[in-house]
Amino acid sequence: MNGFTVEESNLICIYASKNRKKVMGDITRALPYIDDVDMIELSLQVVDKLKALSDEEFAAMNFEMAE
């Protein structure tokens, strides 16, 4: 278990990068264009969790899009 929910993992997969800082930046840049409150909350949760990881920990994780 990587500590991310299925929804959080799916969001990370959308940005398709092994670079933690790039994913955090991409999510943050997308926030002004999101008009769904739940999606904003999810995005902020993901950014907070990513901040708590090291670059090495993130790169070692395997995120796969769930259907």
Side-chain angles (χ1 to χ4, degrees), residues 22 30 37 42 48-49:
K22 181 175 179 341
V37 176
L42 177 70
D48 284 345
K49 286 186 177 184

Side-chain angles (χ1 to χ4, degrees), residues 11 35 53:
L11 181 62
D35 57 2
L53 295 175

